[in-house]
Amino acid sequence: MSTGPDLHDPAIHAALDRYWRTNVRIMAVLLLVWAGVSFGGGILLADWLNQFRLPFTGFPLGFWVAQQGSIVVFVLCILVYCLLMNRLDRRHHEELERLSTGDA
């Protein structure tokens, strides 16, 4: 039965720190994207975007971004976060396996 990696090993501790920093970086970028679309498109640029109409609906684009676009971008951010974290988790687990077995 495996007890897991030795958390007192400096190499494993460094790998955990890299994992956490990457996770925080991903979250920060995605939250900035969402905030930019929500605040920028829904508030700051709404008047300029309203000169355009959403095809087949007649709704002003600024109104749509404020009401629906920010929600769509939020859901897409969640999807991108899941995909990126799955990839990061896979790489992190492989790295921990290498470090635990001494193959590094």
Side-chain angles (χ1 to χ4, degrees), residues 5-88:
D6 177 17
L7 298 180
H8 298 293
D9 182 356
I12 291 177
H13 196 271
L16 293 172
D17 284 344
R18 279 192 304 278
Y19 174 82
W20 181 247
R21 279 194 310 272
T22 304
N23 179 21
V24 170
R25 190 177 317 120
I26 290 169
M27 283 191 297
V29 168
L30 291 174
L31 285 173
L32 283 173
V33 167
W34 180 50
V37 170
S38 298
F39 187 71
I43 297 172
L44 296 178
L45 299 175
D47 291 334
W48 181 78
L49 289 172
N50 280 337
Q51 69 183 332
F52 305 104
R53 298 276 175 193
L54 202 58
F56 308 110
T57 65
F59 287 113
L61 186 57
F63 171 78
W64 185 85
V65 169
Q67 299 302 314
Q68 301 297 322
S70 59
I71 296 170
V72 169
V73 169
F74 181 69
V75 171
L76 289 175
C77 283
I78 292 171
L79 174 67
V80 168
Y81 179 76
C82 288
L83 294 172
L84 291 175
M85 287 306 296
N86 282 339
R87 187 171 67 181
L88 178 63

